[in-house]
Amino acid sequence: MLKHDCGSCHGLPPKGGLGPSLMPDALAGKSDQLLLDAIQKGRAGTAMPPWRTFLNEDESRWLIARLRQGW
Ligand code: HEC
């Protein structure tokens, strides 16, 4: 999912494309809560869609942990 769904906008590896970089250095200053909100609810007015129908909170936290570890 990270590769196909997220990668289509964030890049592969996710160094940024239509969406911003999701590489560890880019996420370093951002809290899990901020990233979780973006994934669950999307960002209104941008291309970032809400994923809560596909990913519950635990799954989203798991993805964030993977992103923080690097590609
Ligand atoms: C259709 C394009 C698109 C897809 C698909 C997409 N994103 Fe995004 N994403 C964006 C855009 C655009 C932003 C920037 C929104 C903004 O300006 O605040 C963003 C922002 C984010 C942010 C916040 C980053 C930050 O620095 O604040 C996270 C986290 C994120 N996306 C994760 C994901 C994950 C995980 C997936 C896959 C489940 C995903 N995105 C799929 C377009 C997309």
Side-chain angles (χ1 to χ4, degrees):
M1 180 172 196
L2 257 182
K3 288 185 179 164
H4 294 112
D5 293 326
C6 315
S8 62
C9 284
H10 290 276
L12 194 70
K15 291 183 175 168
L18 179 57
S21 171
L22 300 177
M23 297 297 279
D25 56 335
L27 300 183
K30 296 172 184 170
S31 69
D32 281 355
Q33 193 57 50
L34 177 112
L35 302 173
L36 186 67
D37 270 5
I39 295 171
Q40 292 273 288
K41 300 174 191 163
R43 289 266 170 86
T46 77
M48 177 64 181
W51 293 92
R52 73 187 143 213
T53 32
F54 305 102
L55 293 168
N56 66 28
E57 194 174 316
D58 283 349
E59 290 162 341
S60 302
R61 287 188 188 280
W62 184 89
L63 273 187
I64 292 167
R66 293 288 87 70
L67 287 168
R68 287 198 191 282
Q69 283 175 355
W71 199 237

